[in-house]
Amino acid sequence: MADISFIRQIRHGWFTADFWLCTILMFLVEFGCAVLGAPSPRLLEIVVCREYYDENGGSLTQRDCKIQEVQMRLGLMLTVLSTCSIFAATLMQIPMGLLADKRGMKVALVLNIISTILYWGWLPLVAVFIHLPTWTLYIAPVFIFIGGGPWASGALIFAAINQRITASQRTPAFSIMEAISGIADLIGPALGTLTMENHISIPFLVATLSFALMFVPTILLQHDPLQLSIEIDDIDSEAEVSRPGDSEEQPLLRSISADSNDSERPFIRSTMAIYGITFGSFFLISLARDSNNFLIPWISWRFNESMARAGLIFSLRAIVSSFVFFVLLPTASSFISRGLKYGSFTRDLIISSSSTLLLCAGAISIAVSSNLSTLVVGFCIMTLGSGATVSLRAFLASKVDRSLSGRLFAATSTTSTIGSLIGMPLMGALYSISISEETVDISLPFAMAAAAYFLVSCVIGSLHLTV
């Protein structure tokens, strides 16, 4: 039986010990990965460059590594390694979700942490400490099969949070989690760039320490969250403010043992429509967001700016994102729930639809911008809509039984990964067309992104009609 004082704490607020432990977990994994953003390709470049000069003779300096032959080898290694890693992570997300639901979140998180440490630790081990042959770097994706690597971490942490909060708390709680990720992405790259100047192994040691510290909050997480969630549901049914007839408290996906009969067929059709639309939205949003990978090259090409100056726009994104996740989303969620008296079902749909419209408007502004000021304004508008996936996760979580949280968030993460795998080559092809003389006045990747965001906004608006 869960501790009554803990239940009361949840009833009157969601800043509980478990929430902060999950927040720390999110920060540590995002920080560790962000630290390695620049050092990891540089480490691979060192390995490829060293092998090239071992084969062909000659001196080895950082400048020598920029020759075409070395960069072609590096590009091939990055492509193969990243593709194999993402493919392995995609295969492991659902099994990790199943493991979290069946054996407990702690078991899944421990395996995930071990997998992440081994994956990132293998690269410096091969390149710096042991000097193994270059082909041994391709062993790294094998470690992802232990626990999903860093790609599965976010899904597991969101699932752990979902098991410990009520429906009305999901959107603000998920918003805080995303904000923490943004802070890690702001601090990590700078630290990684600074520390790699002394020795390439230092940022890897910092990242490994960050991943290892994840064991502490994982061990401290409360046991038996599913039993606790039953009591939370009872409390939530009393405390949740919703309109008559609101179906948000009835999970569409229940336990596997639930009976089915002919009278449930319309219900099942409605369920499949909701899942199809929601997961399709995750796919399209992930695909559209790959256009951001070509923003800096586009600014440099279109407005004759250096890559370094163009990169400053991502610092602006970190500032706006912090405002969105720390202030705007929690305030909007509270106003819609308490001020307008809408239930969490309608609240999450309103926020999701509004956010995707902001994404669409921002993408259009970027695509057709004739000067840098217009582009920056469009980028800020688009960043204001970055809470779309937060409210979508909250909506979907309210329609799925808590005992299936691991599988749910693993499925959403897998869907997003697949969208990114398709989006990258698509946006790359559109960017190549954009920089031709005929279409230089418009950024086709962001035009495509705007179309995808608009489609998502329309289909999300139709969700309320399916239930």
Side-chain angles (χ1 to χ4, degrees), residues 280-297:
S281 297
F282 276 109
F283 173 84
L284 288 174
I285 289 175
S286 180
L287 182 147
R289 280 183 174 172
D290 280 337
S291 60
N292 290 332
N293 294 318
F294 301 93
L295 179 61
I296 293 178

Side-chain angles (χ1 to χ4, degrees), residues 31-50:
F31 174 77
C33 293
V35 165
L36 299 177
S40 55
R42 172 58 185 152
L43 180 68
L44 296 179
E45 184 182 61
I46 291 173
V47 174
V48 172
C49 192
R50 184 174 62 207

Side-chain angles (χ1 to χ4, degrees), residues 287-360:
L287 182 147
R289 280 183 174 172
D290 280 337
S291 60
N292 290 332
N293 294 318
F294 301 93
L295 179 61
I296 293 178
W298 172 254
I299 293 175
S300 180
W301 171 272
R302 182 74 173 88
F303 305 109
N304 197 27
E305 293 283 350
S306 67
M307 289 284 190
R309 286 174 59 87
L312 294 175
I313 197 168
F314 287 117
S315 297
L316 178 63
R317 180 177 65 178
I319 296 171
V320 178
S321 294
S322 297
F323 170 74
V324 170
F325 293 123
F326 278 123
V327 179
L328 187 59
L329 271 185
T331 302
S333 175
S334 177
F335 173 74
I336 295 172
S337 295
R338 299 179 183 179
L340 300 181
K341 306 300 182 183
Y342 284 114
S344 60
F345 174 88
T346 306
R347 175 202 65 198
D348 293 333
L349 290 184
I350 290 174
I351 294 176
S352 298
S353 183
S354 301
S355 296
T356 49
L357 283 176
L358 287 171
L359 289 169
C360 178

Side-chain angles (χ1 to χ4, degrees), residues 32-33 36 39-40 43-44 47 81 85 112-132 136-144 146 149-151 200-212:
C33 293
L36 299 177
S40 55
L43 180 68
L44 296 179
V47 174
L81 192 57
S85 299
N112 177 256
I113 297 168
I114 293 172
S115 173
T116 301
I117 292 174
L118 291 176
Y119 175 79
W120 282 118
W122 181 252
L123 301 182
L125 185 67
V126 169
V128 179
F129 299 109
I130 303 181
H131 294 287
L132 294 175
T136 57
L137 289 170
Y138 297 115
I139 297 176
V142 174
F143 296 114
I144 296 175
I146 296 175
W151 289 270
I200 192 63
S201 64
I202 295 178
F204 284 90
L205 294 175
V206 172
T208 300
L209 176 61
S210 180
F211 297 140

Side-chain angles (χ1 to χ4, degrees), residues 127-199:
V128 179
F129 299 109
I130 303 181
H131 294 287
L132 294 175
T134 303
W135 64 265
T136 57
L137 289 170
Y138 297 115
I139 297 176
V142 174
F143 296 114
I144 296 175
F145 289 102
I146 296 175
W151 289 270
S153 301
L156 293 174
I157 295 170
F158 273 111
I161 282 287
N162 185 57
Q163 292 176 347
R164 291 163 169 82
I165 57 176
T166 64
S168 62
Q169 298 163 353
R170 285 191 184 102
T171 298
F174 289 177
S175 177
I176 294 296
M177 301 298 289
E178 291 285 357
I180 294 299
S181 299
I183 293 174
D185 289 337
L186 181 62
I187 300 173
L191 182 61
T193 302
L194 290 174
T195 54
M196 69 184 285
E197 295 296 329
N198 297 321
H199 196 279

